[in-house]
Amino acid sequence: MSQIASRLEELGIVLPAPVAPIANYVPYARIGRMLVISGQLPLGSDGKIAPAHIGKLGPHSPIDGAREAARLCAINLLAQASAALGDLDSITQVVRLGGFFNVASDFDSLPQAMNGASDLMAALFGERGRHARTTVGVAHLPLNALAEVEAMFEVA
Amino acid sequence: MSQIASRLEELGIVLPAPVAPIANYVPYARIGRMLVISGQLPLGSDGKIAPAHIGKLGPHSPIDGAREAARLCAINLLAQASAALGDLDSITQVVRLGGFFNVASDFDSLPQAMNGASDLMAALFGERGRHARTTVGVAHLPLNALAEVEAMFEVA
Amino acid sequence: MSQIASRLEELGIVLPAPVAPIANYVPYARIGRMLVISGQLPLGSDGKIAPAHIGKLGPHSPIDGAREAARLCAINLLAQASAALGDLDSITQVVRLGGFFNVASDFDSLPQAMNGASDLMAALFGERGRHARTTVGVAHLPLNALAEVEAMFEVA
């Protein structure tokens, strides 16, 4: 079993079947050693978004729901990378994550929420998982999802 | 006539003169085989935004206007790429599109609207047009445009 | 003294200590000749955001505050690049800036505000500072900052 597959198992994470794009584009594209993954939504292993991960964040929204949504986006990013590469061990660096959260007004815990995605990359890839990132609150997201995360990986 | 130029003609698309940036930056930059194009607005062939492509999307906004705005952004991206490269045939892959829509509250058809850009790339470039993408709704855009799209191309 | 360091001095700019990420990620990552810098906030040289650079932009917000916020984001990007590279002279091209402004409703001067970042790159790097960029208004930003700017540099 590959190294990252072992860590996924230790973390109790089963990668879902990669989600088909909900419109006319593809989940990933490569340029040289860079693998670019399309923005992923917090779909669960059943391919649906749980009600807890739909809607807009406000000043009193719990951080946990937003953090879990970001983590699910990251799991879907990994599912796409796995489909692209066959083996996540060929990822030599998580280069960048872009996190978009669906915000109605203020939600002051955007960085903490985005850690749901970043922490997973660090847990799985160690030093290779240390990435640059940009986190913003946006006015709306596809399917009214709570979060969307895109990624750029360096591959061997 | 180049292959892509022929397809543009078949589709009845005339690339406009590339639009000068509305502020202190340039329309594109290259790094290795990657061509990065600045976010483009839905300017028409007269260099102006039609009233139908200005303003914010809401729950009842028609999809067609947003889709057409995205398509115009894509045409302006191609005009910039053409100015950068001389010939769109040197594009070996459309790597990524980033789509931003101007949303007042909810607009549930963001992916369908973004297809206005993606469909054009697919129609022009075929397999080479299959790109990763990220689509979000934002709180405002320059000139209060309905849409803005940026691109990353791989070039020969 | 290096060329860019001299220009910084001429402009009266002292790069601050690079800001530690406010969550679990790193300030930059490299892939080949590309240096990707995480989104930076308009922190001052004391590591804090001035009250003038916090909050949301509206139709009557002064451009100057937003422009100065973008300029501070750019200074923090340069501080991170300097920490990554040791010497800003190894930057061969500013490839792309991504600008996000915290907008409550309309703020029609997004491009002029973003020039606070772009003008600084042009002043420092000359031809090498001519970059692609994307500017959008978003619904919220970490720390309720007025602006956040991310960057992609080509390095020798």
Side-chain angles (χ1 to χ4, degrees):
Chain A
M1 186 183 287
S2 84
Q3 189 184 6
I4 300 300
S6 297
R7 290 195 195 160
L8 280 169
E9 193 172 88
E10 286 164 20
L11 294 169
I13 295 171
V14 178
L15 293 187
V19 178
I22 54 178
N24 188 19
Y25 60 100
V26 291
Y28 53 82
R30 275 191 69 159
I31 173 170
R33 290 185 59 188
M34 186 192 297
L35 178 70
V36 178
I37 312 274
S38 295
Q40 298 293 306
L41 302 174
L43 306 181
S45 52
D46 59 356
K48 295 177 181 168
I49 306 191
H53 301 145
I54 293 176
K56 292 184 188 296
L57 297 161
H60 304 299
S61 296
I63 300 177
D64 281 356
R67 186 192 287 126
E68 178 63 16
R71 186 175 182 271
L72 281 172
C73 293
I75 289 175
N76 285 291
L77 286 168
L78 294 168
Q80 299 293 2
S82 182
L85 302 169
D87 185 346
L88 293 174
D89 287 5
S90 61
I91 291 176
T92 50
Q93 185 70 40
V94 183
V95 176
R96 179 185 179 274
L97 296 184
F100 303 90
F101 290 87
N102 196 353
V103 176
S105 55
D106 288 6
F107 178 70
D108 282 339
S109 303
L110 290 172
Q112 290 76 16
M114 185 60 184
N115 278 359
S118 293
D119 288 350
L120 178 59
M121 295 299 176
L124 279 178
F125 293 97
E127 275 298 309
R128 291 179 290 151
R130 294 163 58 88
H131 53 275
R133 83 178 197 195
T134 293
T135 304
V136 302
V138 294
H140 202 57
L141 287 172
L143 307 182
N144 198 23
L146 216 55
E148 178 173 350
V149 184
E150 62 178 359
M152 188 188 291
F153 296 103
E154 182 191 52
V155 295
Chain B
M1 186 183 288
S2 85
Q3 188 184 10
I4 300 299
S6 296
R7 291 196 194 159
L8 281 169
E9 195 173 86
E10 286 164 20
L11 294 169
I13 296 171
V14 178
L15 292 186
V19 178
I22 54 179
N24 187 19
Y25 60 99
V26 292
Y28 53 84
R30 273 192 70 158
I31 172 170
R33 292 184 59 188
M34 187 192 297
L35 178 70
V36 178
I37 312 275
S38 294
Q40 297 294 306
L41 301 174
L43 306 181
S45 52
D46 58 356
K48 294 177 181 168
I49 307 191
H53 301 146
I54 293 177
K56 293 184 189 294
L57 296 161
H60 304 299
S61 295
I63 299 177
D64 281 356
R67 186 193 286 128
E68 178 62 18
R71 185 174 183 271
L72 281 171
C73 293
I75 288 174
N76 285 291
L77 287 168
L78 293 168
Q80 299 293 2
S82 182
L85 302 169
D87 185 346
L88 293 174
D89 288 3
S90 61
I91 292 178
T92 50
Q93 185 71 40
V94 183
V95 176
R96 179 185 179 275
L97 297 184
F100 303 90
F101 290 86
N102 196 354
V103 177
S105 55
D106 289 6
F107 179 70
D108 283 339
S109 304
L110 291 171
Q112 290 76 16
M114 185 61 185
N115 278 359
S118 293
D119 289 350
L120 178 60
M121 296 300 177
L124 279 177
F125 293 97
E127 276 297 308
R128 292 180 288 150
R130 294 162 59 87
H131 53 274
R133 83 177 199 195
T134 294
T135 305
V136 301
V138 294
H140 203 56
L141 286 174
L143 307 182
N144 198 23
L146 216 56
E148 178 174 349
V149 183
E150 62 178 358
M152 187 188 293
F153 296 102
E154 182 191 50
V155 295
Chain C
M1 185 182 290
S2 85
Q3 188 184 7
I4 301 299
S6 296
R7 291 196 195 159
L8 280 168
E9 194 173 88
E10 286 165 20
L11 295 169
I13 296 171
V14 178
L15 292 187
V19 178
I22 54 179
N24 187 20
Y25 60 99
V26 293
Y28 53 84
R30 275 193 68 159
I31 172 169
R33 292 185 59 188
M34 187 192 296
L35 178 70
V36 178
I37 311 275
S38 295
Q40 298 293 305
L41 301 174
L43 306 180
S45 54
D46 58 356
K48 294 176 182 167
I49 306 190
H53 300 147
I54 293 177
K56 293 186 189 294
L57 296 162
H60 305 298
S61 295
I63 299 177
D64 281 356
R67 186 192 287 128
E68 178 62 18
R71 185 175 183 271
L72 282 171
C73 293
I75 288 174
N76 285 291
L77 286 168
L78 293 168
Q80 299 292 2
S82 182
L85 302 170
D87 185 345
L88 292 174
D89 287 4
S90 60
I91 291 176
T92 49
Q93 185 71 40
V94 183
V95 177
R96 178 186 180 274
L97 297 183
F100 303 90
F101 290 86
N102 196 354
V103 176
S105 55
D106 288 5
F107 178 70
D108 282 339
S109 304
L110 291 172
Q112 290 76 13
M114 185 60 185
N115 279 358
S118 293
D119 289 350
L120 178 59
M121 296 300 176
L124 280 178
F125 293 97
E127 276 297 309
R128 291 179 290 150
R130 293 163 59 87
H131 53 275
R133 84 179 196 194
T134 295
T135 304
V136 301
V138 293
H140 203 57
L141 286 173
L143 307 182
N144 198 23
L146 216 55
E148 177 174 350
V149 183
E150 62 179 359
M152 187 188 293
F153 296 103
E154 183 191 51
V155 295

